[in-house]
Amino acid sequence: MQAPESANRPHQVIESLATAVLTFDDRLRLQWMNPAAEELFAIGLRQGQERTFADLFPGRTNLVQRAKEVLAQPRVISEREVWLQRPGDDGHLVDATLSPLPLDGGDRLGLLAEVTLSDRRSRITQEGRRIEEQRALRRVIRGLAHEVKNPLGGLRGAAQLLAGHLSDPELAEYTEVIEHEVDRLLKLLDQLQGPRPARERTTVNIHEVLERVRRLVAAEAPANVTITSDYDPSLPELTADFDQLVQVFLNLASNAVHAVADRNQGRVTLRTRVERNYTIEGRLHPLAVRIEVADNGPGIPEAEQSQIFYPLVTTRAEGRGLGLSIAQDLVTAHGGVINLKSRSGDTVFQVTLPLEPPEAAESASRGGNTVP
């Protein structure tokens, strides 16, 4: 007789949790971990079964002592903002809840550990605040651009009429300057108003987008700059506007090349990974695609990082400060988000796009504004 389907549901729920769940025996040796724990600790269950609690939290002697206390005097203990150093990254702050776990019918006690990223909450809050600020700023800029374009059009028309009544060639040159500068300002205002709405979205392979970008950037990169790729071939396709994604990553990759152009061994890396249970604007996406554009340039000063996506803000003397703003608009229109991590020798622009576009992005693709 088969067990009822509901009997497997608790196990399925734990497997699906975004919280990392781990169990240990009475000697604090790992017994089991769910997929979220495998991702958080960057280790598989089969490999992890040789590890102890102390192995998974290296250097956190206080937390190890707390785990032993749970076994000695059964009770639930919570620790906030524990530093967790994982292989291959800069480390993260986590919150850990340790609970006694009956083993072998209750004769022995093991340990149940629930671990969540505490910087995840901070990231979600910061992303939400930044998106709202950028939306408010975008509305102001669009309104201002609309108001300025009307008198500029009148100014251009007046210059054309005046040119028709001037017989002196030298004076006619002045009207040509007026027309030229008006056209330049109108083009700038068009860019400030943001990209045009996306065309009908199609199924897109993100690696085809990035390879197009890599070839375009490599063709103009200095000889001292190397452009490499580090792709996850298992990534599924997503629904997007191919050309707009090319524009996003072309802007990011071009900026990265400029950042390392003066280095002896400049390096730009295009990288893709999968994100599980990623929250964007309060909506949890089971699967998302993370695309990183990394360089080993001098980095972006911390004081400027919070403003780098605003229109007309740039760290380059020859820049106009529109590339990153447009990239942010296009990513937001696809339901995604851009994050920046930068220090000397390691700058990473991280674009996260949900595999299941939210309703806001879908309405934009039907003809609404590209930025809500």
Side-chain angles (χ1 to χ4, degrees):
M1 179 177 178
Q2 290 184 341
E5 184 180 351
S6 59
N8 293 324
R9 285 180 183 170
H11 184 266
Q12 293 173 350
V13 169
I14 295 175
E15 289 273 355
S16 303
L17 286 176
T19 299
V21 179
L22 309 92
T23 63
F24 299 85
D25 64 15
D26 55 353
R27 297 173 61 184
L28 293 180
R29 293 177 302 190
L30 181 67
Q31 288 188 316
W32 181 84
M33 59 187 353
N34 68 349
E38 292 180 343
E39 182 175 359
L40 178 60
F41 289 91
I43 189 172
L45 176 58
R46 185 172 299 177
Q47 300 167 306
Q49 286 180 330
E50 302 297 325
R51 307 295 179 91
T52 65
F53 187 91
D55 293 333
L56 295 179
F57 292 93
R60 307 277 73 85
T61 55
N62 183 61
L63 186 65
V64 174
Q65 181 59 38
R66 302 290 271 174
K68 293 178 179 178
E69 291 175 9
V70 172
L71 299 184
Q73 299 177 344
R75 67 190 188 279
V76 177
I77 293 178
S78 295
E79 289 288 327
R80 297 284 308 270
E81 297 189 344
V82 177
W83 185 253
L84 173 63
Q85 185 70 49
R86 306 182 301 183
D89 67 19
D90 297 327
H92 294 272
L93 288 173
V94 299
D95 297 336
T97 300
L98 309 178
S99 308
L101 179 67
L103 301 174
D104 300 333
D107 296 335
R108 297 184 299 130
L109 283 181
L111 182 76
L112 173 67
E114 302 168 69
V115 185
T116 58
L117 284 169
S118 59
D119 50 3
R120 174 188 174 98
R121 293 193 301 270
S122 176
R123 175 190 63 78
I124 293 172
T125 300
Q126 292 176 357
E127 284 179 358
R129 185 185 302 116
R130 185 176 72 243
I131 289 173
E132 287 303 317
E133 289 175 352
Q134 290 171 344
R135 283 176 176 165
L137 180 60
R138 176 60 66 193
R139 286 193 291 268
V140 172
I141 289 176
R142 280 182 171 161
L144 180 62
H146 179 74
E147 293 299 322
V148 172
K149 285 175 74 174
N150 289 334
L152 279 177
L155 181 62
R156 190 182 194 286
Q160 289 177 327
L161 290 174
L162 181 60
H165 292 80
L166 294 176
S167 56
D168 189 337
E170 292 185 2
L171 294 177
E173 289 181 7
Y174 293 124
T175 60
E176 290 178 3
V177 170
I178 294 174
E179 291 180 38
H180 175 78
E181 291 302 304
V182 167
D183 288 340
R184 187 177 63 84
L185 288 173
L186 288 172
K187 183 178 180 180
L188 176 62
L189 290 171
D190 284 337
Q191 292 176 316
L192 284 173
Q193 285 185 300
R196 296 183 179 182
R199 300 189 298 272
E200 183 177 355
R201 289 184 169 90
T202 59
T203 300
V204 172
N205 184 320
I206 193 62
H207 297 139
E208 291 182 3
V209 172
L210 295 177
E211 281 301 291
R212 171 80 63 84
V213 169
R214 188 181 64 82
R215 289 193 295 269
L216 290 172
V217 175
E220 299 182 0
N224 61 299
V225 176
T226 302
I227 302 174
T228 63
S229 59
D230 177 13
Y231 298 154
D232 180 351
S234 68
L235 290 183
E237 295 182 327
L238 52 87
T239 302
D241 184 308
F242 184 93
D243 291 335
Q244 288 192 347
L245 289 188
V246 168
Q247 185 176 0
V248 168
F249 295 107
L250 187 58
N251 284 338
L252 297 179
S254 296
N255 285 347
V257 169
H258 281 286
V260 299
D262 296 331
R263 296 235 157 180
N264 291 330
Q265 293 182 329
R267 184 179 66 256
V268 175
T269 303
L270 306 178
R271 183 182 301 116
T272 62
R273 293 292 185 270
V274 67
E275 284 279 1
R276 292 182 174 85
N277 299 313
Y278 196 90
T279 301
I280 302 175
E281 291 195 86
R283 176 169 178 170
L284 180 65
H285 298 275
L287 283 177
V289 176
R290 185 179 82 234
I291 307 102
E292 295 180 350
V293 179
D295 68 70
N296 64 340
I300 299 171
E302 186 174 353
E304 299 176 7
Q305 291 182 22
S306 61
Q307 304 173 1
I308 199 70
F309 294 104
Y310 292 165
L312 304 180
V313 174
T314 180
T315 58
R316 289 164 48 193
E318 74 279 11
R320 290 183 297 170
L322 291 174
L324 289 178
S325 174
I326 292 173
Q328 173 72 62
D329 285 350
L330 293 174
V331 170
T332 302
H334 282 78
V337 66
I338 299 182
N339 286 310
L340 166 65
K341 294 180 181 180
S342 184
R343 61 184 182 182
S344 180
D346 184 22
T347 294
V348 181
F349 283 92
Q350 183 184 94
V351 176
T352 306
L353 297 171
L355 289 172
E356 193 175 318
E359 296 172 0
E362 290 175 355
S363 64
S365 70
R366 290 194 294 267
N369 290 332
T370 52
V371 180

